[in-house]
Structures are given as C-alpha cells and as structure tokens.
C-alpha cells in the first residue's frame, strides 16, 4: 500500500514537471512573437508618427531625426539623403541639429547614390568642421576619386590613412589616385599592399608594372607584362608595354614576339590593335623585313585610313620593297651604305676612272672624296650622300660650299632621297655644286650590281 502511494506521488510529480516545461516553451515562443510584433510595430509606429508630424510641419526636427536614424541604419540611401538634406538646410535655424553628423550622413548617402557633387559639398563641410573625422575624410576622398579629381582625392585619402593607418580599404583608391596623377613612385607602396590581399587583381598588377617602368625598374616590369600577355583584358596593353621595353633594349625580334601575341588575342579593341600592328610593322622594317612590315601597314590603311604616318610609310616602303639597292641606301648599316655610295660614283661616271681618296662618316651624311679621270677632265670631287627623305635647306648647302672652296675641290655633289629647298637651288646657281635628287638617284641605283 505504501509503495503504491509512493509511486502515485512520483508519477504526479513527473506529470507536473512535464506540464511546467511545456508551458515554459510555449511562453518563450509567444514571447518571441510578441517581441517581433512589437519591434515591427515600433518601426511602423515611428514612421507613421513621424510622417504625421511632418504633414503639419515639414521641418519638424525631431521627426526628421527619427526617420533619418531609421533609414540610415537600414542603408536606405535615397530616403536618408532626402531627409538629411532637409535637416542640413534647416540646421542654421535649429541649434539642436548636429550639423557635422547631418552633413556626414547626407554625404555618405549621396556617395552611395553616386551623387558625387552632392557628396563632395556635404562632406567638405563635415571635414572642415571636424578635421579629425575619419569617415568624412575617407568618403570625401572616395567621392573625389570617383569624380576623377585625383589631387584632392589624394589629400583626403592620405588624411584618412593618417587618422586610421589600419584601414586597408584606403590602399586601392589612394594607390590609383597617385597612379592616375602619374605619381608612380607614391602609388607603388599602396598598390603592392592591395596585391598582397588580392593577388589575382590583374588591374593592380598591370598598374604596378607600369609604375615600375616609369620609375626605372623596367626589368621587373617586363616580367610582369610578359606574364600578363595572354590575359583577355590586360593582355593587349601588356604586349604593347613589353614590346616597348624590348624596343628600347634594341631587342626587336623579342618586341615582334610581344606584338604577334597581342595580334592573336581575341576581341582586342581596335585602338590597341592599331598600336600593336603599327609598332610591329616598324620593327619589321627596322630589321629590313619590309614585305612583312608593309602587310601590317596596309591592314592599318584598310581599317583606319590616315592613321599616323601610315600612308607615307606605305608609299615609301612600297618603293623600297621593289629596289634592293634603295633599301640598302635607306636602311642598311654604315659599311653597306658606303659600299653602295662608292658603286654609285662609279655608275655616275661609267666612262671614267674613279679613285676614292677618303671617306668621312658625318652625323647625317657620308662624304666621299674622289679623283675622276676621263678623256675630257681630271677633277677632284666631293660627294655628300644624305640618307634622309626630308627637304634639305640652304644652310647645309652653304656649309658644303665652304668646304669645297676651302679644300680647293673642283666640284661637289649632294645626293638625297628627299629634295632640296628652293633657297638651296638658288644658292647653287652658278656655283660648282650639283644636286642629285630622288628621281635621278633611283634611276642610277637600278643600274648598280652590288655583286658584280
């Protein structure tokens, strides 16, 4: 009997505990729902109450402040901007308005809405009033950066960096602001910090390479550009930059490799493709592979008539491509050029004995002194060969005439692929100087057999 009573008491106790636990769980659930409803009701109540007060008074500071706090915390930038703009406009008449905070939040909202001019106006005010405000300096710098005003962006972002050196988000806009201002040495440390965090950021990597090129670290830059050559976005620019570095080092074959990689990339912008083909064509021509250079130049002509000096280059090198001696005259090394000039003098006097006495290599020309002995004459003559195709003026010719007179030469000849100016022609009238211009030069070169 006692045992039965004891068991009954234990069972009743267990039942009571279970009921109390279930009620506790229900109360928690109901309490949570009640809290949620209360929170939701509180937000709706705030908006409804504030809007009611603003209906009667559009400049009600308390109502505007409540709504501003709410929308700003929710990152509702459009509503935040309008509210804080209104608050800022009435702040002069209401001392209870925190002008710095109002201007700051107005500026932040404007920045996120990409209203950069409004952001700059508001944030400038905030930073002027509170120079140590990190957010004001940071967002103002970012607004200037987005607006393309890089010198002011640098000033503000540098201040923000000084206020909070641990803020890594400043590194990228500050680095690019320096970069776009062509202050490459200042840009590099910040861009390298970005690359440490974002090693796959190709834009930063490319910019670092450009910065290294501009600060005398071409060897390091070249490795980066060569690494980026296959990249769909930065590959074309990297091919151009790598090619330029190789050109400066006189490694024209390597420059051609860079440009050929660029031409094989897909979807290369027309502007960049024209640059690649133009530079590659000039490298081919410099290596005396005129036919390949002409192919590229004519491709440029077809796509973009009048591009740079392509028309003139096509005209010039089409003619050179058809005359190997003319190629030698304009493009060969000094020794081959002198050998051709000697042959030219012999071809100019086919029935005379020509004896070369002296050869001088000048900055822009080569001079050959010779004795010409024929049945009709025996002269001491000076030939000056110009390799330029430009117009030669009378100043050069006056100097040439003085040399002939002082050295007591019988006659002088000036030979050029270009022309001589009208004043030069007038000067030699009646003087012992003859001009051999392009047409006559080409005619004689065609008769020369360099291997005969």
């Amino acid at each position: 009997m006692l045992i039965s009573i004891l068991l009954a008491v234990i069972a009743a106790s267990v039942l009571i505990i279970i009921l109390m636990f279930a009620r506790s769980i229900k109360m928690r659930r109901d309490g949570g729902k009640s809290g949620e409803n209360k929170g939701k009701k509180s937000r709706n109540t705030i908006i409804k109450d504030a809007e009611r007060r603003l209906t009667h008074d559009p400049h009600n500071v308390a109502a505007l402040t409540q709504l501003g706090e709410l929308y700003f915390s929710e990152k509702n930038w459009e509503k935040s901007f309008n509210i804080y703009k209104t608050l800022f406009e009435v702040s002069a008449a209401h001392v209870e308005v925190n002008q710095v905070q109002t201007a700051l939040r107005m500026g932040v909202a404007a920045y996120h809405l990409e209203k950069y001019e409004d952001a700059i106006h508001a944030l400038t005010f905030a930073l002027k009033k509170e120079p140590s405000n990190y957010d004001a300096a940071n967002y103002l710098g970012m607004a200037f950066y987005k607006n393309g005003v890089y010198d002011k962006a640098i000033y503000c972002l540098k201040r923000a960096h000084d206020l909070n050196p641990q803020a890594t988000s400043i590194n990228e806009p500050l680095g690019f602001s320096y970069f776009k201002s062509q202050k490459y040495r200042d840009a590099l440390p910040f861009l390298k910090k970005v690359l440490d965090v974002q090693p796959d950021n190709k834009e930063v990597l490319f910019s670092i390479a450009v910065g290294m090129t501009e600060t005398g670290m071409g060897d390091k830059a070249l490795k980066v550009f060569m690494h980026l050559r296959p990249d769909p976005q930065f590959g074309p620019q990297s091919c151009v930059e790598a090619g330029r570095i190789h050109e400066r080092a006189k490694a024209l074959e390597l420059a051609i490799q860079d440009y050929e990689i660029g031409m094989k990339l897909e979807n290369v912008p027309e502007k960049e493709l024209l640059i690649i083909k133009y530079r590659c064509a000039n490298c081919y021509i410099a290596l005396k592979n005129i036919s390949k250079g002409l192919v590229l130049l004519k491709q440029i002509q077809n796509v973009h008539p009048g591009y740079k000096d392509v028309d003139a280059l096509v005209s010039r090198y089409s003619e050179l491509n058809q005359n190997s001696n003319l190629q030698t005259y304009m493009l060969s090394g000094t020794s081959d050029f002198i050998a051709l000039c000697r042959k030219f003098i012999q071809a100019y006097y086919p029935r005379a004995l020509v004896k070369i006495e002296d050869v001088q290599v000048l900055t822009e020309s080569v001079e050959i002194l010779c004795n010409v002995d024929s049945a009709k004459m025996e002269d001491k003559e000076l030939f000056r060969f110009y390799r330029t195709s430009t117009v030669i003026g009378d100043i050069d010719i006056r100097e040439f005439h003085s040399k002939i007179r002082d050295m007591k030469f019988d006659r002088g000849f000036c030979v050029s692929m270009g022309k001589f100016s009208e004043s030069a022609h007038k000067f030699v009238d009646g003087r012992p100087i003859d001009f051999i211009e392009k047409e006559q030069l080409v005619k004689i070169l065609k008769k020369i057999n360099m291997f005969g």
Side-chain angles (χ1 to χ4, degrees), residues 164-184:
N164 185 5
Q166 305 305 317
T168 57
S169 61
I170 295 175
N171 292 329
E172 186 169 343
L174 183 53
F176 276 124
S177 293
Y178 276 126
F179 181 84
K180 293 175 187 295
S181 300
Q182 297 183 351
K183 296 179 180 179
Y184 302 110

Side-chain angles (χ1 to χ4, degrees), residues 408-428:
K408 296 182 171 37
F409 298 150
D410 296 300
R411 194 155 200 84
F413 294 87
C414 288
V415 186
S416 174
M417 259 296 284
K419 293 184 177 182
F420 297 91
S421 68
E422 185 179 346
S423 60
H425 277 282
K426 288 181 179 179
F427 176 77
V428 300

Side-chain angles (χ1 to χ4, degrees), residues 386-405:
Y386 290 96
R387 305 190 79 174
T388 180
S389 58
T390 58
V391 177
I392 299 170
D394 63 288
I395 294 176
D396 283 345
I397 307 308
R398 289 175 187 274
E399 176 268 328
F400 184 66
H401 176 259
S402 297
K403 182 177 287 190
I404 292 173
R405 183 189 60 207

Side-chain angles (χ1 to χ4, degrees), residues 317-377:
Y317 289 108
S318 293
E319 187 174 29
L320 289 176
N321 200 39
Q322 297 170 8
N323 187 331
S324 60
N325 286 337
L326 195 56
Q327 284 187 42
T328 301
Y329 189 93
M330 295 300 294
L331 302 175
S332 67
T334 303
S335 60
D336 289 340
F337 177 62
I338 291 173
L340 179 63
C341 292
R342 294 167 70 107
K343 289 271 189 179
F344 177 92
I345 298 171
Q346 293 171 350
Y348 190 75
Y349 290 114
R351 295 181 180 86
L353 177 63
V354 178
K355 183 179 180 182
I356 305 298
E357 298 288 343
D358 188 32
V359 177
Q360 287 192 353
V361 179
L362 307 178
T363 304
E364 297 180 352
S365 61
V366 166
E367 288 184 350
I368 298 181
L369 171 62
C370 60
N371 286 319
V372 180
D373 190 2
S374 70
K376 296 182 180 180
M377 65 175 185

